[in-house]
mmCIF file of all heavy atoms in Angstrom:
data_model
loop_
_atom_site.group_PDB
_atom_site.id
_atom_site.type_symbol
_atom_site.label_atom_id
_atom_site.label_comp_id
_atom_site.label_asym_id
_atom_site.label_seq_id
_atom_site.Cartn_x
_atom_site.Cartn_y
_atom_site.Cartn_z
ATOM 1 N N GLU F 1305 -35.624 96.960 -50.008
ATOM 2 C CA GLU F 1305 -36.213 97.193 -48.683
ATOM 3 C C GLU F 1305 -36.993 98.532 -48.708
ATOM 4 O O GLU F 1305 -38.016 98.627 -47.984
ATOM 5 C CB GLU F 1305 -34.978 97.354 -47.625
ATOM 6 C CG GLU F 1305 -34.295 96.069 -47.501
ATOM 7 C CD GLU F 1305 -33.367 96.044 -46.333
ATOM 8 O OE1 GLU F 1305 -32.617 97.081 -46.180
ATOM 9 O OE2 GLU F 1305 -33.378 95.049 -45.472
ATOM 10 N N ARG F 1306 -36.557 99.487 -49.432
ATOM 11 C CA ARG F 1306 -37.402 100.723 -49.581
ATOM 12 C C ARG F 1306 -36.889 101.533 -50.752
ATOM 13 O O ARG F 1306 -35.720 101.327 -51.323
ATOM 14 C CB ARG F 1306 -37.269 101.602 -48.321
ATOM 15 C CG ARG F 1306 -35.865 102.124 -47.948
ATOM 16 C CD ARG F 1306 -35.857 102.868 -46.644
ATOM 17 N NE ARG F 1306 -34.675 103.606 -46.377
ATOM 18 C CZ ARG F 1306 -33.635 103.113 -45.862
ATOM 19 N NH1 ARG F 1306 -33.603 101.799 -45.576
ATOM 20 N NH2 ARG F 1306 -32.588 103.855 -45.650
ATOM 21 N N VAL F 1307 -37.703 102.388 -51.189
ATOM 22 C CA VAL F 1307 -37.394 103.336 -52.349
ATOM 23 C C VAL F 1307 -37.716 104.679 -51.828
ATOM 24 O O VAL F 1307 -38.836 105.030 -51.423
ATOM 25 C CB VAL F 1307 -38.247 102.992 -53.612
ATOM 26 C CG1 VAL F 1307 -37.843 103.995 -54.692
ATOM 27 C CG2 VAL F 1307 -37.980 101.592 -54.022
ATOM 28 N N GLU F 1308 -36.702 105.606 -51.995
ATOM 29 C CA GLU F 1308 -36.931 106.996 -51.483
ATOM 30 C C GLU F 1308 -36.840 107.935 -52.700
ATOM 31 O O GLU F 1308 -36.287 107.724 -53.740
ATOM 32 C CB GLU F 1308 -35.898 107.339 -50.431
ATOM 33 C CG GLU F 1308 -35.964 106.462 -49.247
ATOM 34 C CD GLU F 1308 -34.888 106.788 -48.210
ATOM 35 O OE1 GLU F 1308 -33.959 107.523 -48.564
ATOM 36 O OE2 GLU F 1308 -35.024 106.278 -47.073
ATOM 37 N N GLY F 1309 -37.444 109.144 -52.517
ATOM 38 C CA GLY F 1309 -37.203 110.223 -53.422
ATOM 39 C C GLY F 1309 -38.320 110.291 -54.443
ATOM 40 O O GLY F 1309 -39.270 109.440 -54.515
ATOM 41 N N GLU F 1310 -38.271 111.377 -55.244
ATOM 42 C CA GLU F 1310 -39.215 111.587 -56.336
ATOM 43 C C GLU F 1310 -39.125 110.581 -57.416
ATOM 44 O O GLU F 1310 -37.999 109.974 -57.547
ATOM 45 C CB GLU F 1310 -39.046 113.035 -56.889
ATOM 46 C CG GLU F 1310 -39.304 114.141 -55.919
ATOM 47 C CD GLU F 1310 -40.699 114.226 -55.351
ATOM 48 O OE1 GLU F 1310 -41.587 113.884 -56.065
ATOM 49 O OE2 GLU F 1310 -40.876 114.498 -54.098
ATOM 50 N N PRO F 1311 -40.120 110.357 -58.226
ATOM 51 C CA PRO F 1311 -40.102 109.428 -59.299
ATOM 52 C C PRO F 1311 -38.931 109.499 -60.247
ATOM 53 O O PRO F 1311 -38.369 108.571 -60.742
ATOM 54 C CB PRO F 1311 -41.424 109.521 -59.999
ATOM 55 C CG PRO F 1311 -42.416 110.093 -58.931
ATOM 56 C CD PRO F 1311 -41.527 110.955 -58.129
ATOM 57 N N HIS F 1312 -38.533 110.793 -60.454
ATOM 58 C CA HIS F 1312 -37.402 111.016 -61.364
ATOM 59 C C HIS F 1312 -36.112 110.987 -60.758
ATOM 60 O O HIS F 1312 -34.990 111.092 -61.383
ATOM 61 C CB HIS F 1312 -37.588 112.416 -62.085
ATOM 62 C CG HIS F 1312 -37.453 113.501 -61.157
ATOM 63 N ND1 HIS F 1312 -38.527 113.928 -60.383
ATOM 64 C CD2 HIS F 1312 -36.548 114.427 -60.862
ATOM 65 C CE1 HIS F 1312 -38.203 114.918 -59.571
ATOM 66 N NE2 HIS F 1312 -36.917 115.294 -59.877
ATOM 67 N N ALA F 1313 -36.058 110.794 -59.412
ATOM 68 C CA ALA F 1313 -34.850 110.745 -58.714
ATOM 69 C C ALA F 1313 -34.913 109.769 -57.544
ATOM 70 O O ALA F 1313 -34.598 110.064 -56.348
ATOM 71 C CB ALA F 1313 -34.498 112.246 -58.158
ATOM 72 N N HIS F 1314 -35.200 108.558 -57.862
ATOM 73 C CA HIS F 1314 -35.305 107.509 -56.829
ATOM 74 C C HIS F 1314 -33.993 107.106 -56.285
ATOM 75 O O HIS F 1314 -32.954 107.130 -56.952
ATOM 76 C CB HIS F 1314 -35.968 106.274 -57.458
ATOM 77 C CG HIS F 1314 -37.502 106.324 -57.463
ATOM 78 N ND1 HIS F 1314 -38.302 105.611 -58.251
ATOM 79 C CD2 HIS F 1314 -38.358 107.026 -56.691
ATOM 80 C CE1 HIS F 1314 -39.534 105.877 -58.138
ATOM 81 N NE2 HIS F 1314 -39.651 106.746 -57.171
ATOM 82 N N THR F 1315 -34.014 106.707 -55.024
ATOM 83 C CA THR F 1315 -32.915 105.998 -54.407
ATOM 84 C C THR F 1315 -33.419 104.643 -53.878
ATOM 85 O O THR F 1315 -34.356 104.557 -53.192
ATOM 86 C CB THR F 1315 -32.276 106.771 -53.240
ATOM 87 O OG1 THR F 1315 -31.774 108.044 -53.767
ATOM 88 C CG2 THR F 1315 -31.185 105.978 -52.490
ATOM 89 N N PHE F 1316 -32.787 103.616 -54.453
ATOM 90 C CA PHE F 1316 -33.240 102.249 -54.043
ATOM 91 C C PHE F 1316 -32.304 101.756 -52.896
ATOM 92 O O PHE F 1316 -31.072 101.865 -53.017
ATOM 93 C CB PHE F 1316 -33.115 101.306 -55.189
ATOM 94 C CG PHE F 1316 -34.104 101.585 -56.300
ATOM 95 C CD1 PHE F 1316 -33.845 102.494 -57.258
ATOM 96 C CD2 PHE F 1316 -35.267 100.792 -56.453
ATOM 97 C CE1 PHE F 1316 -34.783 102.802 -58.241
ATOM 98 C CE2 PHE F 1316 -36.144 101.038 -57.419
ATOM 99 C CZ PHE F 1316 -35.908 102.068 -58.381
ATOM 100 N N TRP F 1317 -32.900 101.100 -51.919
ATOM 101 C CA TRP F 1317 -32.123 100.414 -50.850
ATOM 102 C C TRP F 1317 -32.475 98.941 -50.863
ATOM 103 O O TRP F 1317 -33.580 98.475 -50.874
ATOM 104 C CB TRP F 1317 -32.608 100.975 -49.502
ATOM 105 C CG TRP F 1317 -32.224 102.383 -49.347
ATOM 106 C CD1 TRP F 1317 -32.963 103.520 -49.752
ATOM 107 C CD2 TRP F 1317 -31.107 102.939 -48.706
ATOM 108 N NE1 TRP F 1317 -32.343 104.664 -49.439
ATOM 109 C CE2 TRP F 1317 -31.163 104.411 -48.807
ATOM 110 C CE3 TRP F 1317 -30.058 102.363 -48.050
ATOM 111 C CZ2 TRP F 1317 -30.119 105.229 -48.237
ATOM 112 C CZ3 TRP F 1317 -29.040 103.239 -47.541
ATOM 113 C CH2 TRP F 1317 -29.146 104.604 -47.623
ATOM 114 N N VAL F 1318 -31.356 98.168 -51.071
ATOM 115 C CA VAL F 1318 -31.479 96.734 -51.404
ATOM 116 C C VAL F 1318 -30.687 95.910 -50.423
ATOM 117 O O VAL F 1318 -29.560 96.380 -49.990
ATOM 118 C CB VAL F 1318 -31.010 96.429 -52.838
ATOM 119 C CG1 VAL F 1318 -30.834 94.940 -53.115
ATOM 120 C CG2 VAL F 1318 -31.953 97.037 -53.841
ATOM 121 N N ARG F 1319 -31.213 94.761 -50.028
ATOM 122 C CA ARG F 1319 -30.463 93.816 -49.160
ATOM 123 C C ARG F 1319 -30.011 92.573 -49.956
ATOM 124 O O ARG F 1319 -30.804 92.104 -50.767
ATOM 125 C CB ARG F 1319 -31.345 93.363 -48.020
ATOM 126 C CG ARG F 1319 -30.729 92.340 -47.040
ATOM 127 C CD ARG F 1319 -31.717 91.885 -45.978
ATOM 128 N NE ARG F 1319 -32.605 91.003 -46.523
ATOM 129 C CZ ARG F 1319 -33.943 91.225 -46.748
ATOM 130 N NH1 ARG F 1319 -34.423 92.456 -46.470
ATOM 131 N NH2 ARG F 1319 -34.694 90.285 -47.208
ATOM 132 N N CYS F 1320 -28.836 92.174 -49.846
ATOM 133 C CA CYS F 1320 -28.255 90.915 -50.468
ATOM 134 C C CYS F 1320 -28.069 90.002 -49.314
ATOM 135 O O CYS F 1320 -27.391 90.371 -48.330
ATOM 136 C CB CYS F 1320 -27.035 91.175 -51.148
ATOM 137 S SG CYS F 1320 -26.216 89.656 -51.780
ATOM 138 N N GLU F 1321 -28.566 88.801 -49.398
ATOM 139 C CA GLU F 1321 -28.492 87.775 -48.329
ATOM 140 C C GLU F 1321 -28.035 86.458 -48.864
ATOM 141 O O GLU F 1321 -28.468 85.989 -49.858
ATOM 142 C CB GLU F 1321 -29.871 87.586 -47.624
ATOM 143 C CG GLU F 1321 -29.789 86.655 -46.419
ATOM 144 C CD GLU F 1321 -31.114 86.593 -45.650
ATOM 145 O OE1 GLU F 1321 -32.061 87.373 -46.017
ATOM 146 O OE2 GLU F 1321 -31.159 85.909 -44.597
ATOM 147 N N VAL F 1322 -26.939 85.960 -48.170
ATOM 148 C CA VAL F 1322 -26.589 84.550 -48.465
ATOM 149 C C VAL F 1322 -26.856 83.694 -47.227
ATOM 150 O O VAL F 1322 -26.054 83.759 -46.294
ATOM 151 C CB VAL F 1322 -25.000 84.524 -48.748
ATOM 152 C CG1 VAL F 1322 -24.555 83.166 -48.989
ATOM 153 C CG2 VAL F 1322 -24.681 85.508 -49.861
ATOM 154 N N ALA F 1323 -27.964 83.073 -47.287
ATOM 155 C CA ALA F 1323 -28.489 82.372 -46.102
ATOM 156 C C ALA F 1323 -27.534 81.280 -45.544
ATOM 157 O O ALA F 1323 -27.342 81.118 -44.460
ATOM 158 C CB ALA F 1323 -29.853 81.706 -46.469
ATOM 159 N N SER F 1324 -26.917 80.543 -46.561
ATOM 160 C CA SER F 1324 -26.001 79.524 -46.194
ATOM 161 C C SER F 1324 -24.758 79.954 -45.428
ATOM 162 O O SER F 1324 -24.251 79.240 -44.596
ATOM 163 C CB SER F 1324 -25.563 78.683 -47.336
ATOM 164 O OG SER F 1324 -24.937 79.565 -48.319
ATOM 165 N N LEU F 1325 -24.408 81.187 -45.539
ATOM 166 C CA LEU F 1325 -23.232 81.749 -44.833
ATOM 167 C C LEU F 1325 -23.645 82.681 -43.737
ATOM 168 O O LEU F 1325 -22.765 83.277 -43.104
ATOM 169 C CB LEU F 1325 -22.284 82.452 -45.819
ATOM 170 C CG LEU F 1325 -21.686 81.558 -46.948
ATOM 171 C CD1 LEU F 1325 -20.794 82.429 -47.895
ATOM 172 C CD2 LEU F 1325 -20.935 80.429 -46.341
ATOM 173 N N LYS F 1326 -24.952 82.927 -43.688
ATOM 174 C CA LYS F 1326 -25.478 83.848 -42.625
ATOM 175 C C LYS F 1326 -24.890 85.241 -42.834
ATOM 176 O O LYS F 1326 -24.470 85.895 -41.848
ATOM 177 C CB LYS F 1326 -25.284 83.365 -41.251
ATOM 178 C CG LYS F 1326 -25.933 81.996 -40.954
ATOM 179 C CD LYS F 1326 -25.720 81.490 -39.538
ATOM 180 C CE LYS F 1326 -26.316 80.179 -39.300
ATOM 181 N NZ LYS F 1326 -26.188 79.689 -37.895
ATOM 182 N N LEU F 1327 -24.827 85.660 -44.113
ATOM 183 C CA LEU F 1327 -24.241 86.994 -44.461
ATOM 184 C C LEU F 1327 -25.320 87.846 -45.081
ATOM 185 O O LEU F 1327 -26.127 87.407 -45.817
ATOM 186 C CB LEU F 1327 -23.040 86.849 -45.322
ATOM 187 C CG LEU F 1327 -21.862 86.056 -44.839
ATOM 188 C CD1 LEU F 1327 -20.797 85.938 -45.888
ATOM 189 C CD2 LEU F 1327 -21.264 86.810 -43.637
ATOM 190 N N ARG F 1328 -25.193 89.165 -44.745
ATOM 191 C CA ARG F 1328 -26.079 90.177 -45.353
ATOM 192 C C ARG F 1328 -25.308 91.380 -45.687
ATOM 193 O O ARG F 1328 -24.391 91.683 -45.008
ATOM 194 C CB ARG F 1328 -27.239 90.595 -44.445
ATOM 195 C CG ARG F 1328 -28.313 89.544 -44.205
ATOM 196 C CD ARG F 1328 -29.453 90.179 -43.379
ATOM 197 N NE ARG F 1328 -30.614 89.157 -43.168
ATOM 198 C CZ ARG F 1328 -31.651 89.523 -42.627
ATOM 199 N NH1 ARG F 1328 -31.838 90.743 -42.090
ATOM 200 N NH2 ARG F 1328 -32.692 88.607 -42.430
ATOM 201 N N GLY F 1329 -25.727 92.007 -46.823
ATOM 202 C CA GLY F 1329 -25.088 93.283 -47.217
ATOM 203 C C GLY F 1329 -26.083 94.225 -47.756
ATOM 204 O O GLY F 1329 -27.082 93.785 -48.368
ATOM 205 N N ALA F 1330 -25.970 95.515 -47.468
ATOM 206 C CA ALA F 1330 -26.861 96.498 -47.826
ATOM 207 C C ALA F 1330 -26.185 97.406 -48.857
ATOM 208 O O ALA F 1330 -25.080 97.713 -48.780
ATOM 209 C CB ALA F 1330 -27.473 97.304 -46.701
ATOM 210 N N GLY F 1331 -27.079 97.869 -49.840
ATOM 211 C CA GLY F 1331 -26.582 98.782 -50.831
ATOM 212 C C GLY F 1331 -27.693 99.822 -51.218
ATOM 213 O O GLY F 1331 -28.869 99.513 -51.100
ATOM 214 N N SER F 1332 -27.215 100.866 -51.748
ATOM 215 C CA SER F 1332 -28.191 101.894 -52.326
ATOM 216 C C SER F 1332 -27.659 102.468 -53.668
ATOM 217 O O SER F 1332 -26.518 102.358 -53.952
ATOM 218 C CB SER F 1332 -28.386 103.072 -51.303
ATOM 219 O OG SER F 1332 -27.075 103.728 -51.077
#
């Protein structure tokens, strides 16, 4: 979903989606 921080210290924000169960989870 987005990447924050300097190139040497990135923080990744990711979404996991299970469409069949209508579930979503976020992680960094």
Side-chain angles (χ1 to χ4, degrees):
E1305 297 191 312
R1306 66 184 188 276
V1307 180
E1308 299 178 345
E1310 299 296 324
H1312 65 280
H1314 276 157
T1315 297
F1316 293 82
W1317 295 84
V1318 170
R1319 180 184 74 253
C1320 172
E1321 184 172 359
V1322 181
S1324 57
L1325 298 180
K1326 299 180 180 179
L1327 295 177
R1328 287 186 178 185
S1332 63

